[in-house]
Amino acid sequence: RRCNLTACSSKYVLSALHPMWQGPLVAPGGNRQSPIDIRVRKSVFDPHLKPLTPDYDPGTCSQIWNNGYSFLVEYDDTTDKSILKGGPLEDNFRLCQFHFHWGESNAWGSEHTVDRRLFPAELHMVHWNSNKYSRFEEAVMEENGLAVIGVFLKIGKRHEGLQKLVDALPAVRHKDSVVEFTRFDPACLLPANIDDYWTYAGSLTTPPLTEAVTWIIMKQHIEVSHDQLAVFRSLLFTSAEEEVQKSMVNNFRVQQPLRGRTVRSSFT
Ligand SMILES: CCCCCOc1ccc(S(N)(=O)=O)cc1
Ligand SMILES: [Zn+2]
């Protein structure tokens, strides 16, 4: 899959393999890439980590967009109406979008793993530092620019809150399609317990792969039904014009070296 030039700056040498670019990657420094395998027994309990305090306003939800990589539920981030504070974060971070990564089968699909355990999918809630920067595009290039909450998905009972999103997906089947999507509370996708998490310094898992992310990975997963996840797989990487349609599956990056980083835990 050719990545478009805007996303793949020359700094990052990518070997583009269909459908997901994998392979060797040369990133300047490149010593804090994501995702990683979280070795539970190697994580270090940090008693100074505060509880996470997300405060989201469903009224800031605006649209769903198929960007040819995942589907993004986008939020109006022109004010501090939907924010994330606390946890490992010193500043105020604004929610700008959430998206998922998933596999073609329920056996794999997540980007992070826990002691090598794969999950069928992973939710990423993307926030940018509104104390230090004025826009997401600026924060994406800065060391302390982004905070992403990761939540693992398991196959089980139907997730009632997710269904509104699942019902909207056929409208964004093709790459570059957008549909209005309002009044969705992203907090409904968080697990019951958000006090137990791992946190580490990492990067975006897709181009531009910038090392700007404070990752906050929830210990507790959420459950979605087999049928709900199957609708994710009905999406396409390809636009309506392309002759050959490719199912949007396996849109995850392979794990990256830890390079001596410490993963902290908020729990013992
Ligand atoms: C300047 C435009 C940058 C667009 C890319 O934004 C991203 C890319 C990856 C992630 S992820 N999978 O690491 O959460 C979050 C946001
Ligand atoms: Zn992601």
Side-chain angles (χ1 to χ4, degrees):
R1 165 166 293 276
R2 288 169 42 75
C3 48
N4 60 58
L5 291 181
T6 49
C8 290
S9 71
S10 55
K11 282 190 299 180
Y12 295 91
V13 176
L14 298 177
S15 67
L17 300 172
H18 176 76
M20 286 302 303
W21 43 274
Q22 315 261 356
L25 170 85
V26 175
N31 54 6
R32 54 172 282 191
Q33 288 290 297
S34 293
I36 60 167
D37 176 44
I38 295 167
R39 309 292 314 167
V40 174
R41 278 171 298 288
K42 291 219 173 105
S43 63
V44 178
F45 169 60
D46 180 349
H48 301 106
L49 283 171
K50 301 183 187 68
L52 214 49
T53 52
D55 180 7
Y56 300 136
D57 173 357
T60 58
C61 188
S62 64
Q63 62 184 27
I64 303 179
W65 171 41
N66 177 334
N67 69 353
Y69 181 79
S70 181
F71 63 91
L72 311 184
V73 178
E74 300 189 298
Y75 284 75
D76 165 25
D77 59 357
T78 54
T79 72
D80 266 346
K81 277 189 181 167
S82 289
I83 54 118
L84 177 65
K85 288 193 303 191
L89 307 172
E90 295 300 319
D91 292 319
N92 184 67
F93 286 73
R94 246 179 232 174
L95 175 68
C96 63
Q97 51 104 332
F98 70 79
H99 63 274
F100 299 80
H101 303 264
W102 60 92
E104 65 193 291
S105 96
N106 292 333
W108 64 83
S110 62
E111 297 211 299
H112 292 86
T113 50
V114 179
D115 288 341
R116 292 283 168 216
R117 175 181 177 192
L118 288 155
F119 292 83
E122 183 172 333
L123 160 65
H124 289 160
M125 299 174 75
V126 183
H127 312 73
W128 55 274
N129 188 328
S130 60
N131 286 153
K132 288 201 164 69
Y133 310 109
S134 49
R135 333 187 335 279
F136 166 74
E137 286 74 12
E138 183 190 348
V140 115
M141 306 312 285
E142 303 297 334
E143 188 161 349
N144 183 21
L146 303 180
V148 182
I149 296 177
V151 181
F152 295 116
L153 275 63
K154 273 184 73 179
I155 302 299
K157 65 182 187 313
R158 180 181 139 107
H159 192 296
E160 293 309 325
L162 185 71
Q163 195 54 36
K164 178 181 174 184
L165 177 50
V166 168
D167 291 338
L169 293 183
V172 289
R173 191 153 183 263
H174 289 99
K175 175 182 177 194
D176 298 330
S177 44
V178 182
V179 69
E180 186 187 52
F181 189 69
T182 56
R183 305 220 52 74
F184 185 84
D185 180 4
C188 83
L189 296 177
L190 292 172
N193 171 11
I194 60 168
D195 291 340
D196 292 357
Y197 56 83
W198 294 281
T199 182
Y200 77 97
S203 74
L204 298 182
T205 65
T206 68
L209 299 172
T210 44
E211 298 179 334
V213 183
T214 297
W215 280 96
I216 300 165
I217 308 291
M218 291 294 144
K219 179 187 176 197
Q220 190 176 60
H221 61 268
I222 60 171
E223 281 191 17
V224 303
S225 71
H226 178 281
D227 291 355
Q228 288 178 315
L229 197 54
V231 178
F232 285 22
R233 300 189 186 105
S234 71
L235 295 175
L236 300 170
F237 280 126
T238 44
S239 59
E241 294 71 45
E242 294 177 64
E243 300 75 48
V244 183
Q245 306 284 321
K246 294 181 183 65
S247 294
M248 185 180 275
V249 293
N250 301 328
N251 56 356
F252 55 84
R253 189 190 193 195
V254 295
Q255 267 116 39
Q256 303 296 309
L258 193 55
R259 291 274 188 275
R261 285 174 282 178
T262 298
V263 176
R264 290 182 289 161
S265 65
S266 68
F267 61 97
T268 54

